[in-house]
Amino acid sequence: MLSLFHLNLSEWIWLIVASVLIGFSKTGISAFSMPVIPIIALIFGGKESTGMILPLLIIGDLFAIYYYNRHADWKDIKALLPWVALGLLLGLVVGEYTNDEQFKIIISICVILCLIILVYMEKKGEGAKVPKGKWFYALTGILSGFASMIGNAAGPIFSVFLLAKGFKKDKFLGTTAWFFFIVNISKVPMQALVWHNIHLKTLLFSLMMIPAIAVGAIIGAFLIKRINEKPFRIIILIVTALSAIRLIF
């Protein structure tokens, strides 16, 4: 079964690590999902990697929903979804007319922009000022949809939105879990039927990674109330930045 993917031992180890990080990010520290994008893109290529990651993210979303389903804010989710749909369609069109190298560069740009947002929020902390007007729904939705479609990198954008709304931890985690589950499920037919990067082999790989995602999810749920987040976030920011730059060159 493993030979179907023509991967060496080092690549399998990185994919297992990436899957653990997906689980951990869904129930714990969201920044841990950022290195996953460039890691899998380096192994499978730009557009193909988004199809490999998507089912893994959906599995991770299910774990997050299990832990935090009662805390979602459906009013904000519903307000964002029409704008997210527009962003998804924009990302779908852009991805359709770019080659693999261009696609990887776009992924890198999305990741780096999200890193800038994360660094800004890390530096400002509770003193960060973000807009709260109605236009912010439209901007957040479109950017989240586009970044999610192109590189599965919408997490930091959505986090800024939730911060603007003053969400506390449980509500933050519950709303995030349901929002990205809906967005990720919506992307499956687009990628399968238009980009043709989700197929039986992709789903087989996802099933093989469920134990790794589960381990990450359990660890994330256990540590989220006990861990000092800042040192870990700094490490992840550095690793992700280096990986994103590596995608370009």
Side-chain angles (χ1 to χ4, degrees):
M1 186 181 293
L2 296 180
S3 62
L4 288 174
F5 299 94
H6 305 291
L7 302 173
N8 58 44
L9 178 60
S10 175
E11 289 171 331
W12 275 112
I13 291 173
W14 277 113
L15 290 173
I16 292 171
V17 169
S19 298
V20 172
L21 291 177
I22 286 175
F24 189 92
S25 70
K26 292 296 184 178
T27 60
I29 304 172
S30 60
F32 272 67
S33 67
M34 296 301 290
V36 173
I37 303 160
I39 286 173
I40 297 185
L42 284 170
I43 295 174
F44 291 108
K47 189 179 294 183
E48 185 69 18
S49 71
T50 63
M52 300 299 291
I53 294 174
L54 185 54
L56 301 179
L57 293 175
I58 292 173
I59 294 169
D61 290 330
L62 291 173
F63 280 102
I65 289 172
Y66 172 79
Y67 281 106
Y68 307 118
N69 70 87
R70 292 173 294 177
H71 304 288
D73 187 311
W74 286 102
K75 180 181 178 180
D76 284 311
I77 292 175
K78 290 176 182 178
L80 281 172
L81 288 179
W83 299 107
V84 172
L86 182 58
L88 289 175
L89 290 174
L90 179 61
L92 184 71
V93 172
V94 171
E96 181 67 9
Y97 292 99
T98 55
N99 61 38
D100 194 66
E101 288 304 313
Q102 293 168 335
F103 200 90
K104 287 195 289 185
I105 291 173
I106 294 173
I107 292 176
S108 297
I109 292 171
C110 287
V111 172
I112 291 170
L113 288 176
C114 288
L115 280 167
I116 292 172
I117 294 173
L118 285 173
V119 170
Y120 172 78
M121 302 309 298
E122 188 75 30
K123 184 177 180 180
K124 293 293 184 179
E126 295 183 358
K129 294 181 179 180
V130 290
K132 298 183 179 181
K134 290 184 179 180
W135 64 269
F136 196 45
Y137 278 93
L139 181 62
T140 300
I142 293 172
L143 289 179
S144 294
F146 181 81
S148 182
M149 192 70 197
I150 289 293
N152 297 297
I157 299 171
F158 190 63
S159 294
V160 172
F161 170 79
L162 296 184
L163 180 66
K165 302 290 290 184
F167 281 20
K168 300 302 181 182
K169 183 167 65 175
D170 286 344
K171 192 175 180 182
F172 182 102
L173 292 170
T175 304
T176 299
W178 276 109
F179 176 79
F180 280 107
F181 176 70
I182 294 170
V183 171
N184 288 332
I185 286 293
S186 301
K187 287 154 52 180
V188 172
M190 296 183 185
Q191 293 191 208
L193 300 176
V194 180
W195 288 356
H196 305 291
N197 62 351
I198 296 179
H199 33 69
L200 183 60
K201 192 174 178 180
T202 307
L203 299 178
L204 175 61
F205 171 75
S206 300
L207 291 175
M208 293 170 63
M209 292 296 109
I210 287 178
I213 297 172
V215 168
I218 293 169
I219 294 173
F222 177 78
L223 292 182
I224 188 62
K225 296 181 180 179
R226 299 169 175 82
I227 197 170
N228 183 349
E229 185 175 333
K230 189 171 182 178
F232 288 92
R233 287 172 64 88
I234 292 173
I235 293 171
I236 292 301
L237 289 172
I238 294 172
V239 172
T240 305
L242 293 174
S243 299
I245 293 170
R246 173 67 181 84
L247 271 177
I248 298 175
F249 298 102

